[in-house]
Amino acid sequence: MFGRRSVLAVVAGAALLIAACGGDDDPTSTPTVDATAEATGEATGSAEAEATATASRTPFPAPTPDPRTPEEIEEAARLRDAERTQRFIARDYPLNNFDVATVELWEILPLLPRDGIRSIDSPNFDTIEEANAWLDDSEPVIAFELNGEARAYPLQILTWHEIVNDVVGGEPVIVTYCPLCNTAIAFSRVVDGETREFGVSGALRRNDLIMYDRETETLWQQITGEAIVGEPAGSQLDFLTSQIVSWGDFRDSFPEATVLNRETGRAVNYGENPY
């Protein structure tokens, strides 16, 4: 006869054997997974997927070296810039003969169309007392005097217009300002005995304003007063004395003067700097 412990051991062993051999047939049983094999399989699959993705990528082609010398590259760029300037002049200045020039056309940088910045051609003026209401003592103005008549041209206005066609002391004059160079220069508007009216060309040369006259469409360099492109190329405007001073100094020196005011016909936030 088996003892009680022997019977229990047999029963337990039988139960384990049944579970081991027939557990897969039980729909409620949970399959066992070899964690080490699963992790290894995932890692292997991930590495294979990455290798496949890497192989399928198309690499960027290596840049083709430019066979030209630095001098040839620079010359090609200048030719391209000169052609750009020729197109600009042909479009906006059909009267201008760009074959006649005292500068290299590639030096001219077109930025805006003709009159993209509007000159002031019919200026209006305030008295000293009127201008004192909107000008601070330290504010810069262009001081100009000719034949006993003095005028101030505030930079808060000239920054937006750059050119004023005016008549001072009975003489046709042009008062100009290039914001990029901070150059304030006045000239006579009489060229070869003819009075000219000037506008902003929309182009720069060495960051300086290029003007044009509306009669011949010649391009003029502001800082030198020289005609640089067009039939009169090489001609020179006559300089007139002007300087930038504070409003307070001008007002005290010329109490009877007049001051360019903000009635320009343009909706502009004078006092703000567009640059």
Side-chain angles (χ1 to χ4, degrees):
M1 295 294 295
F2 292 106
R4 180 180 176 83
R5 291 183 179 178
S6 299
V7 173
L8 292 176
V10 171
V11 172
L16 290 172
L17 183 60
I18 293 170
C21 296
D24 288 344
D25 296 331
D26 183 356
T28 63
S29 65
T30 302
T32 59
V33 178
D34 186 334
T36 303
E38 182 178 23
T40 303
E42 287 183 356
T44 302
S46 176
E48 291 175 351
E50 178 64 23
T52 301
T54 302
S56 66
R57 295 192 188 106
T58 301
F60 291 107
T64 303
D66 195 320
R68 298 174 298 177
T69 66
E71 292 76 14
E72 290 172 334
I73 293 174
E74 183 176 3
E75 181 60 28
R78 289 179 174 180
L79 179 61
R80 181 193 63 234
D81 291 345
E83 291 173 346
R84 174 204 60 203
T85 300
Q86 289 175 357
R87 291 192 299 270
F88 165 72
I89 295 174
R91 182 194 70 201
D92 285 9
Y93 302 95
L95 299 181
N96 186 298
N97 179 7
F98 54 73
D99 290 329
V100 181
T102 59
V103 301
E104 298 290 348
L105 293 185
W106 57 263
E107 295 180 331
I108 296 174
L109 177 62
L111 293 172
L112 296 171
R114 166 178 171 164
D115 295 322
I117 297 174
R118 288 295 305 180
S119 60
I120 298 176
D121 304 325
S122 300
N124 295 297
F125 296 90
D126 280 351
T127 64
I128 292 290
E129 292 75 18
E130 291 170 334
N132 221 26
W134 54 275
L135 283 172
D136 294 332
D137 283 359
S138 61
E139 189 164 340
V141 301
I142 300 174
F144 180 68
E145 182 183 19
L146 184 64
N147 298 335
E149 184 174 5
R151 285 189 174 162
Y153 301 82
L155 293 195
Q156 65 163 262
I157 300 175
L158 267 293
T159 296
W160 290 86
H161 296 278
E162 303 189 5
I163 291 175
V164 180
N165 290 286
D166 203 358
V167 177
V168 180
E171 299 289 337
V173 301
I174 174 177
V175 178
T176 71
Y177 178 67
C178 177
L180 298 181
C181 300
N182 196 35
T183 46
I185 307 174
F187 304 97
S188 170
R189 288 197 288 128
V190 178
V191 181
D192 295 331
E194 178 187 8
T195 299
R196 304 284 177 86
E197 184 177 89
F198 288 80
V200 180
S201 73
L204 299 173
R205 176 172 174 264
R206 299 178 181 175
N207 291 325
D208 181 56
L209 162 66
I210 295 178
M211 313 179 294
Y212 80 97
D213 73 76
R214 296 190 170 109
E215 288 71 27
T216 69
E217 298 183 350
T218 300
L219 300 185
W220 302 77
Q221 186 84 60
Q222 183 252 6
I223 204 167
T224 63
E226 180 188 358
I228 57 174
V229 183
E231 292 293 348
S235 300
Q236 186 78 44
L237 297 175
D238 292 333
F239 284 87
L240 301 172
T241 302
S242 64
Q243 61 180 324
I244 297 176
V245 300
S246 71
W247 164 243
D249 286 345
F250 179 86
R251 177 194 59 211
D252 295 343
S253 300
F254 302 99
E256 303 301 320
T258 54
V259 184
L260 178 70
N261 67 27
R262 294 180 283 189
E263 297 175 13
T264 63
R266 311 288 291 180
V268 175
N269 294 322
Y270 295 118
E272 296 183 4
N273 191 331
Y275 300 96

mmCIF file of all heavy atoms in Angstrom, residues 235-269:
data_model
loop_
_atom_site.group_PDB
_atom_site.id
_atom_site.type_symbol
_atom_site.label_atom_id
_atom_site.label_comp_id
_atom_site.label_asym_id
_atom_site.label_seq_id
_atom_site.Cartn_x
_atom_site.Cartn_y
_atom_site.Cartn_z
ATOM 1 N N SER A 235 29.623 115.264 -68.439
ATOM 2 C CA SER A 235 29.207 116.615 -68.052
ATOM 3 C C SER A 235 29.114 116.698 -66.536
ATOM 4 O O SER A 235 28.929 115.695 -65.842
ATOM 5 C CB SER A 235 27.858 116.964 -68.678
ATOM 6 O OG SER A 235 27.928 116.919 -70.086
ATOM 7 N N GLN A 236 29.191 117.915 -66.022
ATOM 8 C CA GLN A 236 29.230 118.125 -64.578
ATOM 9 C C GLN A 236 28.191 119.159 -64.169
ATOM 10 O O GLN A 236 28.089 120.230 -64.775
ATOM 11 C CB GLN A 236 30.623 118.609 -64.169
ATOM 12 C CG GLN A 236 30.840 118.738 -62.683
ATOM 13 C CD GLN A 236 31.089 117.400 -62.016
ATOM 14 O OE1 GLN A 236 31.847 116.575 -62.528
ATOM 15 N NE2 GLN A 236 30.443 117.175 -60.880
ATOM 16 N N LEU A 237 27.382 118.826 -63.137
ATOM 17 C CA LEU A 237 26.473 119.817 -62.560
ATOM 18 C C LEU A 237 27.277 120.797 -61.712
ATOM 19 O O LEU A 237 28.320 120.446 -61.140
ATOM 20 C CB LEU A 237 25.417 119.128 -61.687
ATOM 21 C CG LEU A 237 24.457 118.169 -62.382
ATOM 22 C CD1 LEU A 237 23.555 117.479 -61.348
ATOM 23 C CD2 LEU A 237 23.619 118.890 -63.417
ATOM 24 N N ASP A 238 26.782 122.029 -61.599
ATOM 25 C CA ASP A 238 27.457 123.036 -60.780
ATOM 26 C C ASP A 238 27.039 122.860 -59.317
ATOM 27 O O ASP A 238 25.849 122.892 -58.979
ATOM 28 C CB ASP A 238 27.080 124.442 -61.250
ATOM 29 C CG ASP A 238 27.651 124.764 -62.626
ATOM 30 O OD1 ASP A 238 28.699 124.184 -62.979
ATOM 31 O OD2 ASP A 238 27.040 125.581 -63.355
ATOM 32 N N PHE A 239 28.042 122.659 -58.444
ATOM 33 C CA PHE A 239 27.781 122.522 -57.017
ATOM 34 C C PHE A 239 27.382 123.862 -56.408
ATOM 35 O O PHE A 239 27.920 124.914 -56.779
ATOM 36 C CB PHE A 239 29.032 122.010 -56.289
ATOM 37 C CG PHE A 239 29.309 120.550 -56.475
ATOM 38 C CD1 PHE A 239 30.046 120.094 -57.557
ATOM 39 C CD2 PHE A 239 28.840 119.617 -55.557
ATOM 40 C CE1 PHE A 239 30.323 118.752 -57.720
ATOM 41 C CE2 PHE A 239 29.104 118.268 -55.715
ATOM 42 C CZ PHE A 239 29.842 117.823 -56.796
ATOM 43 N N LEU A 240 26.460 123.808 -55.459
ATOM 44 C CA LEU A 240 26.078 124.973 -54.676
ATOM 45 C C LEU A 240 26.266 124.631 -53.199
ATOM 46 O O LEU A 240 26.093 123.483 -52.790
ATOM 47 C CB LEU A 240 24.626 125.369 -54.949
ATOM 48 C CG LEU A 240 24.298 125.712 -56.415
ATOM 49 C CD1 LEU A 240 22.799 125.901 -56.586
ATOM 50 C CD2 LEU A 240 25.059 126.967 -56.853
ATOM 51 N N THR A 241 26.604 125.618 -52.391
ATOM 52 C CA THR A 241 26.944 125.375 -50.998
ATOM 53 C C THR A 241 25.725 124.969 -50.174
ATOM 54 O O THR A 241 24.675 125.622 -50.213
ATOM 55 C CB THR A 241 27.585 126.627 -50.374
ATOM 56 O OG1 THR A 241 28.745 126.982 -51.125
ATOM 57 C CG2 THR A 241 27.971 126.370 -48.934
ATOM 58 N N SER A 242 25.872 123.862 -49.457
ATOM 59 C CA SER A 242 24.835 123.410 -48.535
ATOM 60 C C SER A 242 25.512 122.607 -47.429
ATOM 61 O O SER A 242 26.638 122.145 -47.588
ATOM 62 C CB SER A 242 23.790 122.544 -49.252
ATOM 63 O OG SER A 242 24.378 121.364 -49.741
ATOM 64 N N GLN A 243 24.828 122.439 -46.322
ATOM 65 C CA GLN A 243 25.377 121.635 -45.232
ATOM 66 C C GLN A 243 24.258 121.142 -44.329
ATOM 67 O O GLN A 243 23.152 121.704 -44.324
ATOM 68 C CB GLN A 243 26.394 122.430 -44.411
ATOM 69 C CG GLN A 243 25.827 123.677 -43.750
ATOM 70 C CD GLN A 243 26.870 124.432 -42.946
ATOM 71 O OE1 GLN A 243 27.734 123.813 -42.330
ATOM 72 N NE2 GLN A 243 26.802 125.752 -42.947
ATOM 73 N N ILE A 244 24.550 120.064 -43.600
ATOM 74 C CA ILE A 244 23.594 119.540 -42.633
ATOM 75 C C ILE A 244 23.874 120.193 -41.283
ATOM 76 O O ILE A 244 25.004 120.151 -40.781
ATOM 77 C CB ILE A 244 23.710 118.008 -42.518
ATOM 78 C CG1 ILE A 244 23.358 117.339 -43.852
ATOM 79 C CG2 ILE A 244 22.787 117.476 -41.420
ATOM 80 C CD1 ILE A 244 23.537 115.821 -43.846
ATOM 81 N N VAL A 245 22.842 120.808 -40.708
ATOM 82 C CA VAL A 245 22.950 121.446 -39.391
ATOM 83 C C VAL A 245 21.716 121.065 -38.581
ATOM 84 O O VAL A 245 20.761 120.473 -39.097
ATOM 85 C CB VAL A 245 23.047 122.986 -39.515
ATOM 86 C CG1 VAL A 245 24.277 123.384 -40.332
ATOM 87 C CG2 VAL A 245 21.781 123.564 -40.136
ATOM 88 N N SER A 246 21.720 121.413 -37.303
ATOM 89 C CA SER A 246 20.538 121.169 -36.485
ATOM 90 C C SER A 246 19.486 122.234 -36.773
ATOM 91 O O SER A 246 19.802 123.361 -37.185
ATOM 92 C CB SER A 246 20.902 121.194 -34.993
ATOM 93 O OG SER A 246 21.209 122.517 -34.582
ATOM 94 N N TRP A 247 18.243 121.848 -36.541
ATOM 95 C CA TRP A 247 17.160 122.803 -36.743
ATOM 96 C C TRP A 247 17.339 124.020 -35.841
ATOM 97 O O TRP A 247 17.128 125.161 -36.266
ATOM 98 C CB TRP A 247 15.810 122.138 -36.480
ATOM 99 C CG TRP A 247 14.686 123.117 -36.286
ATOM 100 C CD1 TRP A 247 13.932 123.289 -35.163
ATOM 101 C CD2 TRP A 247 14.197 124.075 -37.232
ATOM 102 N NE1 TRP A 247 12.999 124.291 -35.344
ATOM 103 C CE2 TRP A 247 13.144 124.793 -36.624
ATOM 104 C CE3 TRP A 247 14.558 124.409 -38.532
ATOM 105 C CZ2 TRP A 247 12.443 125.809 -37.257
ATOM 106 C CZ3 TRP A 247 13.857 125.429 -39.179
ATOM 107 C CH2 TRP A 247 12.814 126.111 -38.552
ATOM 108 N N GLY A 248 17.753 123.799 -34.597
ATOM 109 C CA GLY A 248 17.925 124.923 -33.681
ATOM 110 C C GLY A 248 18.959 125.914 -34.179
ATOM 111 O O GLY A 248 18.747 127.139 -34.119
ATOM 112 N N ASP A 249 20.080 125.407 -34.721
ATOM 113 C CA ASP A 249 21.117 126.308 -35.232
ATOM 114 C C ASP A 249 20.640 127.059 -36.467
ATOM 115 O O ASP A 249 20.911 128.260 -36.629
ATOM 116 C CB ASP A 249 22.387 125.515 -35.559
ATOM 117 C CG ASP A 249 23.145 125.079 -34.312
ATOM 118 O OD1 ASP A 249 22.856 125.619 -33.221
ATOM 119 O OD2 ASP A 249 24.012 124.188 -34.432
ATOM 120 N N PHE A 250 19.937 126.353 -37.361
ATOM 121 C CA PHE A 250 19.441 127.025 -38.560
ATOM 122 C C PHE A 250 18.435 128.106 -38.188
ATOM 123 O O PHE A 250 18.495 129.234 -38.700
ATOM 124 C CB PHE A 250 18.791 126.014 -39.502
ATOM 125 C CG PHE A 250 18.229 126.646 -40.747
ATOM 126 C CD1 PHE A 250 19.033 126.858 -41.848
ATOM 127 C CD2 PHE A 250 16.892 127.059 -40.812
ATOM 128 C CE1 PHE A 250 18.535 127.464 -43.000
ATOM 129 C CE2 PHE A 250 16.386 127.658 -41.948
ATOM 130 C CZ PHE A 250 17.213 127.864 -43.045
ATOM 131 N N ARG A 251 17.505 127.765 -37.319
ATOM 132 C CA ARG A 251 16.459 128.728 -36.916
ATOM 133 C C ARG A 251 17.069 129.984 -36.311
ATOM 134 O O ARG A 251 16.638 131.108 -36.621
ATOM 135 C CB ARG A 251 15.552 128.044 -35.894
ATOM 136 C CG ARG A 251 14.448 128.910 -35.315
ATOM 137 C CD ARG A 251 13.866 128.253 -34.097
ATOM 138 N NE ARG A 251 14.916 128.045 -33.089
ATOM 139 C CZ ARG A 251 14.931 127.038 -32.226
ATOM 140 N NH1 ARG A 251 13.980 126.125 -32.245
ATOM 141 N NH2 ARG A 251 15.912 126.932 -31.345
ATOM 142 N N ASP A 252 18.109 129.814 -35.480
ATOM 143 C CA ASP A 252 18.726 130.975 -34.847
ATOM 144 C C ASP A 252 19.534 131.804 -35.846
ATOM 145 O O ASP A 252 19.664 133.027 -35.687
ATOM 146 C CB ASP A 252 19.638 130.516 -33.702
ATOM 147 C CG ASP A 252 18.856 129.843 -32.574
ATOM 148 O OD1 ASP A 252 17.612 130.023 -32.519
ATOM 149 O OD2 ASP A 252 19.486 129.119 -31.769
ATOM 150 N N SER A 253 20.079 131.156 -36.872
ATOM 151 C CA SER A 253 20.895 131.870 -37.853
ATOM 152 C C SER A 253 20.064 132.552 -38.925
ATOM 153 O O SER A 253 20.470 133.590 -39.477
ATOM 154 C CB SER A 253 21.881 130.896 -38.515
ATOM 155 O OG SER A 253 22.745 130.317 -37.566
ATOM 156 N N PHE A 254 18.895 131.958 -39.247
ATOM 157 C CA PHE A 254 18.067 132.494 -40.337
ATOM 158 C C PHE A 254 16.616 132.633 -39.872
ATOM 159 O O PHE A 254 15.734 131.859 -40.277
ATOM 160 C CB PHE A 254 18.135 131.578 -41.558
ATOM 161 C CG PHE A 254 19.526 131.363 -42.099
ATOM 162 C CD1 PHE A 254 20.252 130.219 -41.781
ATOM 163 C CD2 PHE A 254 20.117 132.313 -42.928
ATOM 164 C CE1 PHE A 254 21.524 130.011 -42.283
ATOM 165 C CE2 PHE A 254 21.394 132.109 -43.436
ATOM 166 C CZ PHE A 254 22.107 130.966 -43.109
ATOM 167 N N PRO A 255 16.326 133.608 -39.037
ATOM 168 C CA PRO A 255 14.972 133.739 -38.481
ATOM 169 C C PRO A 255 13.907 134.083 -39.523
ATOM 170 O O PRO A 255 12.708 133.889 -39.251
ATOM 171 C CB PRO A 255 15.122 134.866 -37.449
ATOM 172 C CG PRO A 255 16.350 135.625 -37.877
ATOM 173 C CD PRO A 255 17.248 134.622 -38.492
ATOM 174 N N GLU A 256 14.314 134.549 -40.689
ATOM 175 C CA GLU A 256 13.353 134.890 -41.736
ATOM 176 C C GLU A 256 13.269 133.821 -42.830
ATOM 177 O O GLU A 256 12.614 134.025 -43.860
ATOM 178 C CB GLU A 256 13.738 136.233 -42.381
ATOM 179 C CG GLU A 256 13.838 137.396 -41.403
ATOM 180 C CD GLU A 256 12.526 137.622 -40.676
ATOM 181 O OE1 GLU A 256 11.452 137.511 -41.314
ATOM 182 O OE2 GLU A 256 12.572 137.924 -39.464
ATOM 183 N N ALA A 257 13.907 132.706 -42.625
ATOM 184 C CA ALA A 257 13.959 131.667 -43.656
ATOM 185 C C ALA A 257 12.635 130.925 -43.769
ATOM 186 O O ALA A 257 11.713 131.096 -42.953
ATOM 187 C CB ALA A 257 15.082 130.681 -43.336
ATOM 188 N N THR A 258 12.537 130.081 -44.789
ATOM 189 C CA THR A 258 11.389 129.187 -44.951
ATOM 190 C C THR A 258 11.872 127.742 -44.857
ATOM 191 O O THR A 258 13.055 127.455 -45.043
ATOM 192 C CB THR A 258 10.677 129.427 -46.297
ATOM 193 O OG1 THR A 258 11.639 129.321 -47.359
ATOM 194 C CG2 THR A 258 10.014 130.799 -46.330
ATOM 195 N N VAL A 259 10.915 126.849 -44.589
ATOM 196 C CA VAL A 259 11.259 125.460 -44.298
ATOM 197 C C VAL A 259 10.370 124.535 -45.128
ATOM 198 O O VAL A 259 9.132 124.678 -45.110
ATOM 199 C CB VAL A 259 11.067 125.148 -42.798
ATOM 200 C CG1 VAL A 259 11.529 123.723 -42.491
ATOM 201 C CG2 VAL A 259 11.801 126.167 -41.934
ATOM 202 N N LEU A 260 10.979 123.611 -45.850
ATOM 203 C CA LEU A 260 10.207 122.613 -46.592
ATOM 204 C C LEU A 260 9.264 121.897 -45.626
ATOM 205 O O LEU A 260 9.696 121.375 -44.597
ATOM 206 C CB LEU A 260 11.151 121.608 -47.247
ATOM 207 C CG LEU A 260 10.475 120.469 -48.031
ATOM 208 C CD1 LEU A 260 9.816 121.001 -49.307
ATOM 209 C CD2 LEU A 260 11.496 119.377 -48.361
ATOM 210 N N ASN A 261 7.959 121.885 -45.962
ATOM 211 C CA ASN A 261 7.017 121.234 -45.050
ATOM 212 C C ASN A 261 6.574 119.874 -45.591
ATOM 213 O O ASN A 261 7.009 119.428 -46.653
ATOM 214 C CB ASN A 261 5.818 122.139 -44.733
ATOM 215 C CG ASN A 261 4.924 122.397 -45.941
ATOM 216 O OD1 ASN A 261 4.844 121.602 -46.874
ATOM 217 N ND2 ASN A 261 4.227 123.526 -45.925
ATOM 218 N N ARG A 262 5.682 119.237 -44.831
ATOM 219 C CA ARG A 262 5.291 117.858 -45.130
ATOM 220 C C ARG A 262 4.081 117.760 -46.052
ATOM 221 O O ARG A 262 3.541 116.667 -46.243
ATOM 222 C CB ARG A 262 5.050 117.113 -43.817
ATOM 223 C CG ARG A 262 6.325 116.967 -43.014
ATOM 224 C CD ARG A 262 6.126 116.245 -41.701
ATOM 225 N NE ARG A 262 5.521 117.101 -40.701
ATOM 226 C CZ ARG A 262 5.397 116.779 -39.406
ATOM 227 N NH1 ARG A 262 5.847 115.615 -38.977
ATOM 228 N NH2 ARG A 262 4.830 117.610 -38.555
ATOM 229 N N GLU A 263 3.704 118.878 -46.656
ATOM 230 C CA GLU A 263 2.615 118.857 -47.635
ATOM 231 C C GLU A 263 3.192 118.498 -49.004
ATOM 232 O O GLU A 263 3.372 119.343 -49.878
ATOM 233 C CB GLU A 263 1.912 120.212 -47.674
ATOM 234 C CG GLU A 263 1.231 120.590 -46.350
ATOM 235 C CD GLU A 263 0.658 121.990 -46.380
ATOM 236 O OE1 GLU A 263 0.573 122.578 -47.490
ATOM 237 O OE2 GLU A 263 0.315 122.512 -45.308
ATOM 238 N N THR A 264 3.461 117.236 -49.181
ATOM 239 C CA THR A 264 4.126 116.763 -50.400
ATOM 240 C C THR A 264 3.174 116.021 -51.340
ATOM 241 O O THR A 264 3.582 115.610 -52.422
ATOM 242 C CB THR A 264 5.273 115.814 -50.032
ATOM 243 O OG1 THR A 264 4.722 114.664 -49.360
ATOM 244 C CG2 THR A 264 6.276 116.499 -49.109
ATOM 245 N N GLY A 265 1.931 115.828 -50.898
ATOM 246 C CA GLY A 265 1.001 115.057 -51.708
ATOM 247 C C GLY A 265 1.189 113.565 -51.573
ATOM 248 O O GLY A 265 0.561 112.783 -52.299
ATOM 249 N N ARG A 266 2.042 113.150 -50.644
ATOM 250 C CA ARG A 266 2.303 111.730 -50.435
ATOM 251 C C ARG A 266 1.913 111.344 -49.015
ATOM 252 O O ARG A 266 2.125 112.106 -48.068
ATOM 253 C CB ARG A 266 3.782 111.393 -50.650
ATOM 254 C CG ARG A 266 4.373 111.943 -51.928
ATOM 255 C CD ARG A 266 3.859 111.218 -53.149
ATOM 256 N NE ARG A 266 4.354 109.844 -53.231
ATOM 257 C CZ ARG A 266 4.048 109.012 -54.216
ATOM 258 N NH1 ARG A 266 3.217 109.404 -55.177
ATOM 259 N NH2 ARG A 266 4.541 107.790 -54.249
ATOM 260 N N ALA A 267 1.334 110.154 -48.855
ATOM 261 C CA ALA A 267 0.967 109.641 -47.530
ATOM 262 C C ALA A 267 2.185 108.945 -46.930
ATOM 263 O O ALA A 267 2.412 107.755 -47.152
ATOM 264 C CB ALA A 267 -0.212 108.683 -47.636
ATOM 265 N N VAL A 268 2.979 109.716 -46.205
ATOM 266 C CA VAL A 268 4.236 109.214 -45.672
ATOM 267 C C VAL A 268 4.309 109.517 -44.187
ATOM 268 O O VAL A 268 3.885 110.594 -43.739
ATOM 269 C CB VAL A 268 5.444 109.866 -46.399
ATOM 270 C CG1 VAL A 268 6.751 109.447 -45.761
ATOM 271 C CG2 VAL A 268 5.442 109.478 -47.878
ATOM 272 N N ASN A 269 4.846 108.591 -43.406
ATOM 273 C CA ASN A 269 5.042 108.800 -41.983
ATOM 274 C C ASN A 269 6.373 109.533 -41.766
ATOM 275 O O ASN A 269 7.373 108.925 -41.373
ATOM 276 C CB ASN A 269 5.031 107.472 -41.225
ATOM 277 C CG ASN A 269 3.686 106.792 -41.263
ATOM 278 O OD1 ASN A 269 2.640 107.436 -41.200
ATOM 279 N ND2 ASN A 269 3.683 105.475 -41.366
#
